[in-house]
Amino acid sequence: MSRSPPGEADKPLTPVELELMQLVWRLGEVSVADVLAALPAERKLAYTSVSTVLRILEQKGVVRSRKVGRGHVYSALLAREDYEARSVRHLVETVFAGTPSALVERLVEAVPLSPEEVEQLRKLLGQKKGEPS
């Protein structure tokens, strides 16, 4: 497997890379044909396009492949939770000037939250402060 250049795996994924990674995370091991079959019917990607994106993801160090017959099967090296955490840190640094509370403020203002979600956020913040939930 080729290794990604230093810092390459830390860069955010492109929209298409993230779309395919969502399928890899959901399905586990995938071939190009598996990815094509899992895409919504209205999403038209060529076999070669999917193959290219999966190889790019491998070069970035977020998936690995193994040879099976004439093709390859891909699986995640980067866990979804790790990518989510890395993406949030990147968002806080680049959009919210390194201030996590600004992100939370914008989230609460911009996204409709159910009473249950508000309570869940309260519990999470309480746990962060060391309060009982």
Side-chain angles (χ1 to χ4, degrees), residues 88 90-104 106-107:
V88 170
H90 178 76
L91 185 65
V92 167
E93 291 301 318
T94 59
V95 178
F96 295 98
T99 308
S101 60
L103 169 63
V104 174
R106 192 63 58 229
L107 172 69

Side-chain angles (χ1 to χ4, degrees), residues 2-127:
S2 62
R3 297 301 319 159
S4 57
E8 184 73 21
D10 292 330
K11 292 182 181 177
L13 299 177
T14 68
V16 174
E17 290 169 349
L18 183 55
E19 179 183 15
L20 297 193
M21 276 307 298
Q22 296 284 358
L23 294 173
V24 173
W25 286 320
R26 183 167 52 94
L27 300 173
E29 277 198 335
V30 296
S31 66
V32 173
D34 296 332
V35 170
L36 287 168
L39 287 170
E42 65 277 1
R43 183 65 164 126
K44 305 287 187 212
L45 284 177
Y47 184 97
T48 54
S49 298
V50 171
S51 178
T52 298
V53 172
L54 288 171
R55 283 195 315 273
I56 290 168
L57 288 168
E58 185 175 22
Q59 290 169 353
K60 287 185 171 187
V62 297
V63 300
R64 71 174 144 237
S65 71
R66 62 183 176 85
K67 187 95 166 120
V68 175
R70 291 177 28 194
H72 290 85
V73 175
Y74 297 86
S75 58
L77 283 173
L78 176 65
R80 177 193 304 262
E81 296 81 10
D82 292 340
Y83 183 74
E84 290 170 349
R86 189 173 73 197
S87 297
V88 170
R89 284 191 301 272
H90 178 76
L91 185 65
V92 167
E93 291 301 318
T94 59
V95 178
F96 295 98
T99 308
S101 60
L103 169 63
V104 174
E105 180 180 351
R106 192 63 58 229
L107 172 69
V108 171
E109 290 175 355
V111 178
L113 298 170
S114 70
E116 295 81 14
E117 290 168 319
V118 171
E119 184 56 30
Q120 180 64 22
L121 288 172
R122 284 184 206 275
K123 285 181 181 179
L124 290 169
L125 290 172
Q127 290 170 356

